Amino acid sequence: MKLDIDACIERLYAGHALSEWEVTKVCELLQELLCDEPNVVSIPAPVTVVGDVHGQFHDLVEIFAIGGRVPSTNYLFLGDYVDRGQHSVETISLLACLKLRHKARIHLLRGNHESRNITRTYGFYAECHAKYGSACVWRAFTDVFDCLALAVIIDDSIFCVHGGLSPSITHVDQLRVLDRFGEIPHEGAVADLVWSDPDGDVTGFARSQRGAGYTFGARVVDRFLHTNGMAHILRAHQLCMEGFLVLFNDRLSTVWSAPNYCYRCGNVASILHVDP
């Protein structure tokens, strides 16, 4: 049987989940594609950047209605595709199919929720089991998560990551040689990239109350950008009631793309368009 990726995309847009065989095949092909990508992917503008979506599938469809569908619009997703929301399976399935069909038009980074440990606790594992009757689909997707890139650089000037910076990383070249394949570790540079947060009350690094990663301040951001010849850091990971937050004299932005997070927070959401 041959996978019809275009038919899969249209069914997903209509809100219909794929069969277990289709998901397994999509994940198999996507793993091959992602394993060929570097840890740090360089892309040109224009691109529309999307923060956490957390299984809010209908809001993802609305994002494409507002920003344009792939491939007419280029997209960068900053991670946290699953958990919390009720439709993580459909959300990650659509993004996976779009990546397979238009690999140069959509890029997917790894967030802290693209993890076996986290998805067992926050909903994705249970959802996969409820919709497919086993953990096979969950295993297929978590194998894909192991291959997602860690960072994207837009036009050599905007550093994009899910969470934030790491005291172990001063230069982007250090990211390029990390072994990213596998479960997110409890500590170290990979964990920091997906777990860390900016904090206007500190200047350097401080331990995060999340229990993983760090908080970091303006001095850390300025040093990282200067060392790497860049102008801005773009990240997600933190709920913003207004949908976005700009810190450190417009040197760092957080974008959050799940409106009314967990169907109760009352926040608005945003997407961010980067022009050439």
Side-chain angles (χ1 to χ4, degrees):
M1 187 185 303
K2 184 179 179 182
L3 181 70
D4 186 339
I5 196 70
D6 288 323
C8 289
I9 290 171
E10 288 311 309
R11 279 175 32 226
L12 285 162
Y13 270 124
H16 303 299
L18 303 182
S19 70
E20 183 175 320
W21 179 86
E22 288 170 323
V23 171
T24 303
K25 190 62 177 178
V26 165
C27 289
E28 176 186 314
L29 295 172
L30 187 55
Q31 269 189 274
E32 294 177 9
L33 187 157
L34 293 174
C35 284
D36 287 337
E37 290 190 341
N39 289 350
V40 183
V41 180
S42 294
I43 65 173
V47 60
T48 296
V49 183
V50 182
D52 296 31
V53 291
H54 277 299
Q56 295 184 201
F57 176 75
H58 298 97
D59 294 315
L60 174 63
V61 173
E62 183 67 12
I63 285 171
F64 288 133
I66 293 169
R69 286 191 179 186
V70 184
S72 61
T73 301
N74 299 323
Y75 281 95
L76 166 61
F77 285 79
L78 297 176
D80 279 13
Y81 314 110
V82 300
D83 289 334
R84 308 285 194 182
Q86 298 173 359
H87 303 284
S88 291
V89 167
E90 292 83 355
T91 298
I92 187 59
S93 295
L94 178 56
L95 293 174
C97 288
L98 290 171
K99 179 64 177 175
L100 273 182
R101 182 67 178 83
H102 308 287
K103 65 180 182 179
R105 295 290 193 171
I106 179 171
H107 292 85
L108 308 174
L109 292 184
R110 191 172 195 174
N112 60 303
H113 279 261
E114 278 67 65
S115 153
R116 291 169 184 80
N117 291 333
I118 299 298
T119 53
R120 277 187 177 274
T121 303
Y122 291 100
F124 185 48
Y125 176 85
E127 184 185 326
C128 290
H129 211 284
K131 290 179 176 177
Y132 292 96
S134 75
C136 290
V137 163
W138 174 79
R139 291 192 191 97
F141 274 122
T142 52
D143 286 345
V144 168
F145 296 162
D146 289 343
C147 305
L148 290 167
L150 299 176
V152 157
I153 299 174
I154 303 173
D155 282 349
D156 297 323
S157 65
I158 302 174
F159 180 76
C160 306
V161 68
H162 177 72
L165 301 178
S166 170
S168 303
I169 302 294
T170 57
H171 199 282
V172 170
D173 286 346
Q174 294 171 277
L175 294 180
R176 302 185 198 278
V177 298
L178 292 175
D179 180 5
R180 78 175 191 266
F181 301 104
E183 181 68 352
I184 297 171
H186 295 295
E187 58 185 11
V190 173
D192 298 341
L193 293 170
V194 300
W195 279 102
S196 293
D197 298 295
D199 186 344
D201 293 328
V202 302
T203 55
F205 283 102
R207 279 290 176 185
S208 173
Q209 293 184 351
R210 292 181 185 268
Y214 293 83
T215 59
F216 57 93
R219 188 178 66 205
V220 171
V221 169
D222 288 344
R223 184 170 61 235
F224 181 85
L225 292 174
H226 176 76
T227 299
N228 292 281
M230 298 187 202
H232 201 84
I233 294 172
L234 186 52
R235 43 90 64 177
H237 191 45
Q238 280 179 301
L239 171 63
C240 303
M241 293 305 293
E242 300 302 321
F244 69 96
L245 182 65
V246 181
L247 292 173
F248 309 140
N249 296 317
D250 199 21
R251 304 277 270 172
L252 180 146
S253 296
T254 298
V255 57
W256 182 267
S257 302
N260 194 30
Y261 180 45
C262 295
Y263 313 110
R264 59 179 171 80
C265 287
N267 61 286
V268 298
S270 72
I271 55 178
L272 188 149
H273 186 72
V274 180
D275 290 319

